[in-house]
Amino acid sequence: MVQLVAYIADALPETVWLTKLECAKNGTLEGLVEGQGRSFQDVTQFLERLKGIAGITAVKPLSSTVTIDETSGKELIVFAAQISGRVRPEPAKPE
């Protein structure tokens, strides 16, 4: 699970940031990523990169909304996506 979080962080373009990351591992991987990006292209690039992470079998966009950043006054894309996949069995520990 730790490695998966590292892969997700590596997949982030500089113009996209996460506001929420939830993952559960119960034999399969189920998760939710929420965040913001500067453009639809940036968000799309991030979601495509997620699809290339080993073990992730599906990335399903749930929502995307244009909002105005109160600090800068610029448009931001707020998004949410569901991820799912398979968890590789952990190697056996030596006894």
Side-chain angles (χ1 to χ4, degrees), residues 12-46:
L12 282 168
E14 287 186 26
T15 54
V16 175
W17 53 98
L18 295 182
T19 56
K20 185 177 192 178
L21 173 63
E22 294 180 359
C23 292
K25 180 174 77 169
N26 297 320
T28 62
L29 167 72
E30 296 294 329
L32 175 70
V33 292
E34 294 179 0
Q36 300 176 348
R38 291 191 184 158
S39 70
F40 281 108
Q41 291 84 3
D42 296 333
V43 172
T44 300
Q45 179 185 32
F46 172 60

Side-chain angles (χ1 to χ4, degrees), residues 50-91:
L50 286 179
K51 292 177 184 177
I53 294 175
I56 293 183
T57 57
V59 177
K60 179 182 175 186
L62 299 175
S63 66
S64 59
T65 307
V66 178
T67 189
I68 303 296
D69 180 26
E70 293 178 13
T71 307
S72 68
K74 295 183 179 182
E75 285 187 348
L76 293 175
I77 310 305
V78 178
F79 69 92
Q82 181 180 16
I83 59 174
S84 58
R86 60 186 181 285
V87 178
R88 284 184 263 158
E90 296 191 21

